[in-house]
Amino acid sequence: MPNLKDLKVRINSVKSTQKITSAMKMVAAAKLRRAQEYAEEARPYSARMDRMIAALAGKMSDVGGPKLLAGTGRDDCYLLVVMTADRGLCGGFNSTIVRASRKRIRQLQENGKQVKLLCVGRKGNDQLQREWGSLITDSLEGITRGKIEFSTVADIGSRLISMFEAGEFDICSIIFNRFQSAMTQIVTEQQIIPASIPETQNEEETLGMYEYEPDETAILAELLPRNVSTQLFSALLENTASEHGARMTAMDSATRNAGEMIDKLTLTYNRTRQAFITKELIEIISGAEAL
Amino acid sequence: MAETTLFELVSPERLIISKDVSMVVVPGTEGLFGVLPRHTSMLSALAPGVIDIYEEDVITERVFVINGFAEVTGERCTVLAEDVIPVDKLNPEELEETIVKIRAEVDNADQADADRLNKLIVQKEAVLQAMRSVKL
């Protein structure tokens, strides 16, 4: 028979766990709202950037264009930027990204490609370290703490570009969670170098009717590196929103589970208490009868 | 009311300005250009400098932009800029300090990093010069 005191201790400990998880849920909900706002506010920039690139790329497609657009002509070495969270306790958020990356790495390696990894976020680095430690070129932490600054992301972008120019990789893509809703995040792989040309929504304007100043090539040379940073930035924003969403959902169900557990334990506690009382009564009564 | 054109100023973080204006003067890499309604379509890279926004032929707002692009069509003028600073909040001294700091970093950086930092210094100095030449 379980000890009454032990039960009491367990109930109390589950209760304090529940308090923590429900507080974490609240925090995550507040952060999610902010992260979502940031992600939405950042959209106009990338939308307009896409529009410009589409207009330019349409013109350049026959000429070839700079390396960042046309690629190196090879696809031997892939750089995967794996975006995860710095912290855990957010359900399957980190593991789904890591699983997707693992699959992708295997697939690339089977095809005889060389793979390099850049981890953004501590958790991804931790989980990939064991199996692919030698592939990880670098790992960045603490970017998603607080508000994500564009300048920090631009630094990463310029580093990627200088690596690309030094011929360290041919193709770069990012793996991150696209925010759908607080419940669902979609693991997405997006190629950023060479730039994937955004689909042109042929609106009223026909391509190539622009005048360019200085000229197409010079503008593209300026625009493409910025586009890399912009894509990284919006991916990071989406990822952060997803992280908070995932954490909120995970903590919500943790709180609910803790509640169920408390109910169950309290029931056992009461039963046991009654059983003890009955036992004592029986002892007293049978003692009295024996006299 | 006179004819207007839609002016949008967008930074990576958010849409900063979006309104109908009578004219904007934008610092293109090849020189300043004014955008009036029904301007011909063009794409231009921007030099660090000030955008003057005219409403009813008076300047109503002035902003300093760094690393920008302008897309102009007949109906609108969209400026994408990585850094946007209102003219009255410009702080060349701070930038100068940053440059000094980067210089110090160059001395104990390896070759690849030093190249990158030197490029950065050149960029920042261009920005600094532009900031200094702003007439308030």
Side-chain angles (χ1 to χ4, degrees), chain A residues 48 51 210-211 213 226, chain B residues 8 41 43 71 76 82:
Chain A
R48 285 172 179 80
R51 195 169 65 196
Y210 286 104
E211 272 173 38
E213 196 179 303
R226 307 233 183 289
Chain B
E8 289 179 313
S41 299
L43 271 180
E71 184 202 23
R76 60 185 150 77
E82 272 182 26

Side-chain angles (χ1 to χ4, degrees), chain A residues 37-38 40-46 48-49 51-52 55-56 147-151 154-155 158-159 162 165 203-205 209-214 218-219 222-224 226 229-230 233 237, chain B residues 8 10-15 18 28-33 39-46 66-76 78-83 112-113 116 119-120 123:
Chain A
E37 268 168 30
Y38 289 148
E40 260 156 41
E41 282 176 347
R43 255 170 225 158
Y45 190 81
S46 56
R48 285 172 179 80
M49 183 77 94
R51 195 169 65 196
M52 284 192 196
L56 278 163
K147 190 171 188 263
I148 303 172
E149 296 289 339
F150 185 73
S151 51
D155 285 346
S158 65
R159 222 166 69 191
S162 57
E165 277 164 358
E203 300 160 20
E204 76 282 14
E205 57 215 281
M209 59 178 249
Y210 286 104
E211 272 173 38
Y212 298 92
E213 196 179 303
I219 292 189
E222 286 269 317
L223 202 56
L224 286 171
R226 307 233 183 289
S229 310
T230 311
F233 185 64
L237 288 175
Chain B
E8 289 179 313
V10 200
S11 83
E13 274 101 8
R14 65 202 172 85
L15 184 69
S18 172
T29 42
E30 316 275 272
L32 294 174
F33 61 90
H39 192 282
T40 176
S41 299
M42 65 182 287
L43 271 180
S44 170
L46 300 187
I66 305 169
N67 290 339
F69 296 92
E71 184 202 23
V72 182
T73 69
E75 305 81 54
R76 60 185 150 77
T78 310
V79 172
L80 300 185
E82 272 182 26
D83 273 305
D113 253 3
R116 192 174 56 88
K119 261 186 222 160
L120 201 66
Q123 277 175 17

Side-chain angles (χ1 to χ4, degrees), chain A residues 32-140:
Chain A
L32 167 68
R33 216 183 42 233
R34 225 169 330 138
Q36 237 176 313
E37 268 168 30
Y38 289 148
E40 260 156 41
E41 282 176 347
R43 255 170 225 158
Y45 190 81
S46 56
R48 285 172 179 80
M49 183 77 94
D50 279 354
R51 195 169 65 196
M52 284 192 196
I53 293 203
L56 278 163
K59 273 206 109 180
M60 299 300 285
S61 54
D62 35 331
V63 205
K67 265 193 186 175
L68 277 174
L69 185 67
T72 52
R74 283 170 293 142
D75 62 341
D76 300 333
C77 186
Y78 282 73
L79 179 77
L80 298 181
V81 181
V82 181
M83 289 184 176
T84 52
D86 276 339
R87 292 188 299 157
L89 286 181
C90 41
F93 177 78
N94 291 316
S95 339
T96 44
I97 302 182
V98 171
R99 203 178 311 132
S101 329
R102 214 173 261 155
K103 214 171 121 200
R104 183 79 176 125
I105 297 169
R106 288 234 171 80
Q107 185 205 341
L108 286 171
Q109 283 185 336
E110 272 165 20
N111 293 333
K113 313 283 185 205
Q114 201 191 339
V115 182
K116 286 180 182 172
L117 296 172
L118 178 75
C119 295
V120 178
R122 192 166 59 85
K123 285 288 160 186
N125 184 34
D126 289 352
Q127 292 190 28
L128 289 168
Q129 191 79 53
R130 219 174 312 135
E131 211 172 337
W132 317 100
S134 56
L135 302 181
I136 298 178
T137 50
D138 205 354
S139 154
L140 306 159

Side-chain angles (χ1 to χ4, degrees), chain B residues 7-23:
Chain B
F7 173 70
E8 289 179 313
L9 178 61
V10 200
S11 83
E13 274 101 8
R14 65 202 172 85
L15 184 69
I16 296 174
I17 300 174
S18 172
K19 61 177 168 188
D20 291 320
V21 298
S22 56
M23 176 168 88

